[in-house]
Amino acid sequence: MANRALTKNVMKIRQNRLISVLFFIGLLCTSSLGMRSLQAQAIRWTKTLPFHTEALAFNPGSKGQEIYAAPSDSEGIWKSNDGGYHWVHLLRGPNPLELGSSALISQIFVLPSDTSVVLVGSSNPRVGMYRTSDGGKNWTRVLEEFSTGGETIFELSGATGDTVYCGQTSYGTLWRSVDLGVHWDSIVSNGSRPDLCTITPQPGSSSIFLSGSGGGVISRTVDGGAHWTATFSADSANDFTDVPRILFDPTNGREVWATIFSSPKVSLLHSTNGGISWNAIPRALDEWALEIDPANPKRLWIGRFSALDPQGPHFEQTTDGGNTWTTEDSASAGGFKQVVDIWKIKYDSTSGRLAVATSNGVFIGETKQQAVSAERSVNAFAITPNPARSIVHISSLQNTNERLRIVDLLGRVWWSSESLTSAGDRSITVVGWPAGVYTLLCETTQGSVASRFLVVR
């Protein structure tokens, strides 16, 4: 799609030879990082968690080092302090981990105003919303009988302080907190839709929001959520049609992108007037995840549910505002070509690092021209079945020489090994073990990685 702003700039350059010369000289003087931002960059991928994952988030103040992830087939929240290459299972205090895979965590949000505060929302109303103020050591449930099915948590800074918002999936209700997520009150909404999947604020505004809902509907409010007007409908009878992601250009509140899932006619939309009207972008169907580079808003990444179309690319990027798209599949590593569905794409511009949540696990992508250190070995383990009755299988992403132990809640050791001799396999008989919760501990040079599982009788 032709980008209007870019087209106008090109016309002006052609009309004025002097401007053309200056523009060319300016490009020659641009830093190497800036030069790379003008073209598609090869991305080096590393798979760092083996679990199906639908939610993850960078700590925006950590320069790409601190990442939270919520695998669907593992208990609760994992945290990395080295850019996603080593992970620690957060196990202490009352938290979503206690609910196991039924937690169905759909969004993790680290507050930009206080990055020690993390909010976790689930699509399961029995779970509600949890909050930590110490980086994930202890958690408190702050909303009960509450569910969020996508990315509906965001924070706004204003003259009176910081306000956190969250949309409730089942009723379309908007909730608001003025104390960083400790207490919440609901905004009575006139016309907001149920099956809410995403809400995003317009940059520079405290009252203009866009929401995406079931049925492929995009709505807009100009009064902070009290009243909504539908500005797009996918016009589809498909009950699964959804709007999973809406993103503003952070430097221009009139430029907006939105993905549409399970619509027979459109999968990507673009608006140049702040979401009042939309243009369909010719794309493959079933787009879901979307991310934008805040340092270069013409650069976007898109992910889709490729299981529905195995022949099509599952991950692409554009560096010219959507005019052209390139796929990284041919240059990818770490099994990224075998990814089936992409749920979330997150980018940290300070480190040039992508974190991608997929049905095949969490992948870290390095977009800058830097190699992944061989010392950044991945220490992540999957335990199946969970709960276990007779045998439990431990799978690792690679060989490891660290000490492994399985302990019960009293700290008693039930199994130990100095290494896994092959990546991916170790079967342990748990017949005769008392029913209860057990923890697999992997003691690494970076600390202990812990994974829990349940033995039942």
Side-chain angles (χ1 to χ4, degrees):
M1 186 204 75
N3 183 282
R4 296 181 181 179
L6 181 60
T7 302
K8 291 180 180 178
N9 288 337
V10 172
M11 291 178 64
K12 290 180 181 179
I13 291 169
R14 290 178 175 174
Q15 292 171 359
N16 191 314
R17 176 176 291 180
L18 177 60
I19 295 178
S20 297
V21 173
L22 293 176
F23 180 76
F24 178 72
I25 294 174
L27 286 179
L28 292 178
C29 297
T30 303
S31 67
S32 60
L33 176 60
M35 289 293 289
R36 289 199 300 271
S37 69
L38 296 176
Q39 57 185 349
Q41 297 172 316
I43 301 173
R44 177 166 180 173
W45 295 101
T46 305
K47 185 176 181 179
T48 67
L49 272 179
F51 312 108
H52 175 122
T53 304
E54 298 182 15
L56 51 72
F58 280 101
N59 175 341
S62 69
K63 297 182 179 180
Q65 294 299 301
E66 190 172 283
I67 312 174
Y68 295 86
S72 297
D73 49 5
S74 170
E75 290 182 319
I77 309 296
W78 291 69
K79 182 179 180 180
S80 172
N81 292 308
D82 65 352
Y85 293 97
H86 296 86
W87 295 85
V88 174
H89 210 166
L90 304 179
L91 300 174
R92 290 174 287 181
N95 54 62
L97 306 177
E98 303 299 333
L99 295 164
S101 60
S102 64
L104 300 176
I105 295 169
S106 58
Q107 185 177 5
I108 304 171
F109 184 77
V110 184
L111 269 62
S113 63
D114 183 348
T115 57
S116 66
V117 177
V118 183
L119 297 173
V120 170
S122 168
S123 59
N124 184 346
R126 294 192 303 107
V127 176
M129 181 188 291
Y130 279 80
R131 177 184 187 272
T132 178
S133 59
D134 55 15
K137 295 179 180 179
N138 297 281
W139 298 83
T140 303
R141 182 182 290 172
V142 293
L143 279 175
E144 298 183 3
E145 296 300 320
F146 170 89
S147 65
T148 176
E151 301 215 356
T152 68
I153 308 173
F154 60 92
E155 182 181 28
L156 292 177
S157 297
T160 58
D162 298 303
T163 304
V164 184
Y165 293 84
C166 185
Q168 185 165 352
T169 295
S170 53
Y171 301 106
T173 305
L174 191 62
W175 291 77
R176 176 176 56 194
S177 172
V178 295
D179 56 7
L180 304 185
V182 177
H183 302 93
W184 296 82
D185 64 272
S186 61
I187 299 174
V188 177
S189 180
N190 179 11
S192 62
R193 300 177 59 88
D195 302 322
L196 185 64
C197 193
T198 185
I199 298 181
T200 185
Q202 185 180 62
S205 173
S206 60
S207 58
I208 300 177
F209 310 151
L210 294 177
S211 70
S213 305
V217 176
I218 298 177
S219 301
R220 184 173 185 264
T221 179
V222 296
D223 55 12
H227 302 84
W228 295 82
T229 301
T231 62
F232 176 84
S233 176
D235 191 27
S236 170
N238 189 338
D239 293 337
F240 296 101
T241 303
D242 210 341
V243 183
R245 196 78 166 108
I246 301 175
L247 283 178
F248 278 95
D249 176 338
T251 66
N252 180 359
R254 297 181 63 82
E255 296 275 343
V256 202
W257 300 85
T259 52
I260 309 292
F261 176 74
S262 190
S263 167
K265 297 180 180 179
V266 62
S267 62
L268 182 64
L269 298 174
H270 181 223
S271 173
T272 58
N273 57 14
I276 297 174
S277 61
W278 298 87
N279 299 309
I281 310 301
R283 294 281 304 162
L285 298 181
D286 300 317
E287 309 285 17
W288 187 275
L290 185 68
E291 180 65 309
I292 191 168
D293 181 353
N296 177 14
K298 294 188 183 300
R299 184 186 191 196
L300 298 98
W301 298 271
I302 199 165
R304 57 195 299 262
F305 283 7
S306 56
L308 303 177
D309 179 17
Q311 302 304 315
H314 63 278
F315 180 91
E316 294 178 276
Q317 69 170 319
T318 177
T319 59
D320 56 13
N323 288 318
T324 58
W325 295 82
T326 59
T327 177
E328 293 295 325
D329 289 6
S330 60
S332 63
F336 195 59
K337 285 189 288 186
Q338 281 71 51
V339 165
V340 177
D341 299 326
I342 294 180
W343 289 89
K344 297 288 191 309
I345 302 171
K346 297 298 179 182
Y347 178 66
D348 178 77
S349 59
T350 60
S351 63
R353 183 171 292 128
L354 285 160
V356 182
T358 81
S359 60
N360 298 59
V362 173
F363 288 80
I364 301 298
E366 301 286 357
T367 64
K368 291 183 178 179
Q369 294 181 353
Q370 58 190 39
V372 178
S373 170
E375 296 179 357
R376 285 176 167 174
S377 59
V378 177
N379 295 287
F381 299 88
I383 301 176
T384 57
N386 189 5
R389 292 185 180 274
S390 57
I391 295 177
V392 65
H393 303 281
I394 300 175
S395 60
S396 173
L397 293 175
Q398 62 176 38
N399 300 343
T400 178
N401 292 320
E402 288 89 356
R403 184 184 180 191
L404 301 174
R405 292 182 298 155
I406 294 178
V407 300
D408 60 19
L409 292 178
L410 298 178
R412 295 175 297 188
V413 177
W414 288 84
W415 175 87
S416 65
S417 174
E418 292 301 321
S419 66
L420 286 179
T421 56
S422 63
D425 259 339
R426 177 61 65 92
S427 296
I428 301 165
T429 299
V430 296
V431 174
W433 294 17
V437 177
Y438 292 81
T439 302
L440 169 69
L441 294 173
C442 174
E443 298 174 353
T444 74
T445 56
Q446 287 78 25
S448 294
V449 178
S451 301
R452 290 197 300 183
F453 65 96
L454 187 66
V455 172
V456 295
R457 293 285 173 252

